[in-house]
């Protein structure tokens, strides 16, 4: 058991200075003062004085088996390691594939998620990739979501020169399958839509929603802050009740933080906005003829950096900034209240911050992964 004493708790709402007891991977008790000092030989005590406690971050878009490959085989990004995630305060990760569904597959993706779970954090994945028909394990998107524990949704790409250029009916069938699979399995059953720079934008997504009864929250367009036209469309989509995902590091002029500020001014419900890292995916730039001129790799550390920047540089309240990395993704992924919140009975996924909003301690499923700013648990081959 772990007892965190005398710490400011953001659930993400600020609930005061509390003591918090962790047992069997769960938050067992939250009180003003527990007086358990006499049991110190059985309980690990952490002094939270002058520190803050927040939920562990949820990164809903990470290429856990590596992305890339668009500049030939040498540009294939390697698999992520456990410490890269925990050092960024990430205690729950959602993995997915990207452009490459030829040298990578869903079996490997699920296996990596299982490995991360064995190493101590929570991990889920989406079946599919940029391609259509979607690559799967069972031969069916619906069956993948229903029968494979880690799979909670499916991915597809639109409005991108690397996308499969699906028709309206093809997208509609995919979305319908994901929706029904989610209902049957009690999972999110969402379609994560990689958005490129193409002129089509959200046209097909809006057409599905206008001509069917599919709920707005079934399709989540991601990378929506990659250009101004797409961002305008995305904010309107979120204003109507859809969920959008902004990517860290994708644009200096349209950071997730700046997107949030614009959304607030336009009356967009902030609970409809997610922020993710696209970690271990490659980013690439192309000339007018479609030739790659630059390639690099995204860091999962950008997620926490974005949160800290919102608080330190843009004067967001901690509780206001936290929602985009905790409760919002937890609800979108149908993991709330197990994840994304500090309350009794929820998973003990926690971050202790020092006075400078730097990570001091990371606890995942009740196990200390980072202590005093140093990694104490590493992945098997680190």
């Amino acid at each position: 058991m772990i007892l965190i004493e005398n710490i400011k708790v953001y659930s993400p709402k600020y609930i005061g200075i509390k003591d918090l007891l962790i047992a069997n991977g769960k938050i067992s008790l939250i009180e003003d003062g527990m007086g358990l000092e006499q049991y110190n030989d059985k309980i690990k005590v952490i002094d939270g004085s002058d520190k803050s406690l927040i939920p562990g971050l949820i990164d809903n878009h990470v290429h856990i088996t590596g992305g890339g490959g668009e500049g030939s085989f040498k540009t294939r990004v390697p698999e992520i390691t456990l410490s890269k995630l925990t050092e960024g305060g990430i205690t729950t990760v959602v993995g997915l594939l990207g452009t490459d569904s030829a040298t990578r597959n869903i079996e490997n993706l699920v296996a990596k998620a299982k490995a991360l779970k064995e190493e101590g954090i929570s991990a889920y994945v989406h079946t599919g990739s940029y391609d259509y028909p979607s690559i799967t394990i069972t031969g069916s998107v619906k069956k993948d979501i229903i029968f494979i524990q880690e799979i909670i949704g499916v991915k597809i790409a639109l409005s991108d020169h690397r996308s499969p250029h699906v028709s309206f009916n093809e997208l509609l069938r995919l979305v319908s399958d994901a929706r029904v699979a989610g209902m049957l399995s009690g999972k999110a059953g969402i379609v994560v839509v990689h958005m490129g720079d193409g002129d089509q934008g959200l046209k097909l997504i809006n057409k599905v929603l206008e001509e069917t009864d599919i709920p707005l929250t079934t399709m989540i367009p991601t990378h929506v802050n990659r250009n101004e036209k797409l961002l305008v469309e995305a904010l309107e989509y979120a204003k109507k009740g859809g969920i959008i995902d902004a990517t860290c590091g994708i644009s200096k002029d349209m950071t997730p933080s700046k997107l949030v500020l614009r959304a607030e001014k336009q009356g967009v419900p902030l609970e409809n906005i997610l922020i993710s890292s696209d970690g271990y995916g490659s980013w690439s730039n192309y000339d007018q003829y479609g030739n790659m001129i630059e390639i690099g790799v995204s860091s999962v550390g950008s997620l926490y950096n974005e949160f800290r920047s919102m608080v330190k540089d843009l004067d967001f309240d901690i509780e206001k900034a936290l929602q985009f990395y905790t409760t919002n993704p937890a609800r979108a992924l149908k993991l709330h209240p197990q994840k994304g919140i500090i309350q009794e009975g929820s998973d003990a996924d926690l971050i202790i911050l020092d006075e400078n909003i730097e990570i001091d301690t990371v606890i995942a499923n009740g196990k200390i992964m980072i202590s005093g700013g140093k990694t104490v648990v590493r992945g098997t081959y680190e």
Side-chain angles (χ1 to χ4, degrees):
M1 290 189 289
I2 300 172
L3 174 64
I4 306 173
E5 292 185 315
N6 195 37
I7 195 164
K8 291 179 285 185
V9 178
Y10 293 86
S11 71
K13 290 185 177 181
Y14 181 63
I15 60 174
I17 296 176
K18 305 287 183 179
D19 287 2
L20 185 144
L21 182 67
I22 298 168
N24 299 317
K26 301 285 185 180
I27 299 170
S28 296
L29 199 60
I30 303 173
E31 290 189 355
D32 290 337
M34 296 187 189
L36 298 178
E37 291 80 3
Q38 66 270 31
Y39 301 109
N40 279 4
D41 58 330
K42 296 181 180 179
I43 301 174
K44 179 176 177 57
V45 179
I46 298 175
D47 183 7
S49 302
D50 300 321
K51 294 183 174 68
S52 300
L53 187 70
I54 66 172
L57 306 190
I58 300 171
D59 197 336
N60 69 92
H61 194 119
V62 178
H63 295 272
I64 58 176
T65 54
E70 297 164 13
S72 190
F73 297 107
K74 65 184 179 184
T75 64
R76 296 175 79 252
V77 180
E79 290 189 358
I80 200 166
T81 55
L82 175 70
S83 66
K84 291 293 184 185
L85 293 163
T86 55
E87 287 168 3
I90 298 164
T91 56
T92 300
V93 64
V94 182
L96 31 58
L97 297 183
T99 315
D100 184 6
S101 61
T103 73
R104 306 179 192 274
N105 56 51
I106 304 302
E107 289 86 344
N108 189 35
L109 189 68
V110 171
K112 180 62 177 179
K114 289 179 182 294
L116 289 170
K117 287 163 65 178
E118 288 179 4
E119 290 174 336
I121 68 170
S122 299
Y124 305 87
V125 302
H126 297 306
T127 194
S129 63
Y130 279 23
D131 281 351
Y132 187 88
S134 302
I135 63 166
T136 64
I137 292 179
T138 65
S140 161
V141 166
K142 188 179 290 185
K143 287 183 178 179
D144 271 16
I145 295 172
I146 292 172
F147 292 113
I148 299 175
Q149 182 183 18
E150 291 80 11
I151 296 179
I152 59 175
V154 62
K155 179 178 178 178
I156 190 70
L158 294 180
S159 195
D160 192 300
H161 64 98
R162 301 159 295 179
S163 73
H165 301 95
V166 295
S167 68
F168 168 73
N169 286 333
E170 288 170 334
L171 179 61
L172 179 57
R173 175 52 50 209
L174 181 67
V175 175
S176 298
D177 283 350
R179 165 69 177 164
V180 172
M183 294 172 66
L184 294 175
S185 61
K187 296 179 181 177
I190 53 175
V191 181
V192 173
V193 186
H194 163 97
M195 298 304 306
D197 281 308
D199 292 334
Q200 188 182 53
L202 299 184
K203 182 179 178 181
L204 267 185
I205 292 176
N206 286 325
K207 184 176 173 64
V208 169
L209 298 173
E210 290 164 3
E211 298 187 14
T212 74
D213 296 321
I214 300 229
L216 267 170
T217 52
T218 304
M219 288 181 284
I220 302 180
T222 187
H223 314 317
V224 297
N225 53 322
R226 70 185 313 143
N227 66 58
E228 178 64 24
K229 180 177 179 293
L230 180 60
L231 178 56
V232 170
E233 286 185 284
L235 290 176
E236 185 60 31
Y237 179 74
K239 194 171 185 177
K240 292 186 292 186
I243 298 172
I244 60 175
D245 183 34
T247 305
C248 298
I250 199 171
S251 170
K252 293 181 180 178
D253 298 323
M254 289 180 282
T255 63
S257 300
K258 292 178 181 177
L259 179 151
V260 169
L261 292 173
R262 285 179 62 170
E264 194 168 27
K265 288 181 180 178
Q266 294 178 29
V268 175
L270 298 186
E271 60 267 25
N272 294 341
I273 299 173
L274 316 180
I275 298 177
S276 61
S277 72
D278 196 18
Y280 270 54
S282 68
W283 53 264
S284 50
N285 292 318
Y286 299 82
D287 64 20
Q288 59 182 323
Y289 305 107
N291 299 309
M292 183 189 296
I293 56 177
E294 189 178 18
I295 192 168
V297 179
S298 302
S299 166
V300 289
S302 63
L303 193 71
Y304 186 79
N305 290 340
E306 188 73 21
F307 162 71
R308 188 173 185 273
S309 176
M310 292 176 86
V311 176
K312 295 285 286 185
D313 302 329
L314 298 177
D315 295 325
F316 277 73
D317 292 334
I318 289 178
E319 60 183 76
K320 180 179 178 181
L322 274 176
Q323 62 184 308
F324 309 107
Y325 313 88
T326 57
T327 49
N328 289 4
R331 289 192 175 101
L333 299 171
K334 210 167 183 179
L335 300 176
H336 189 273
Q338 177 187 355
K339 302 289 185 184
I341 190 168
I342 297 177
Q343 67 177 28
E344 292 176 4
S346 295
D347 289 350
D349 295 336
L350 305 163
I351 304 173
I352 297 176
L353 305 178
D354 66 17
E355 293 174 293
N356 294 315
I357 321 297
E358 298 286 358
I359 294 175
D360 176 271
T361 301
V362 174
I363 299 171
N365 292 309
K367 184 176 181 180
I368 297 174
M369 314 297 279
I370 308 287
S371 180
K374 296 181 180 179
T375 301
V376 295
V377 176
R378 294 188 179 275
T380 307
Y381 291 106
E382 291 191 73

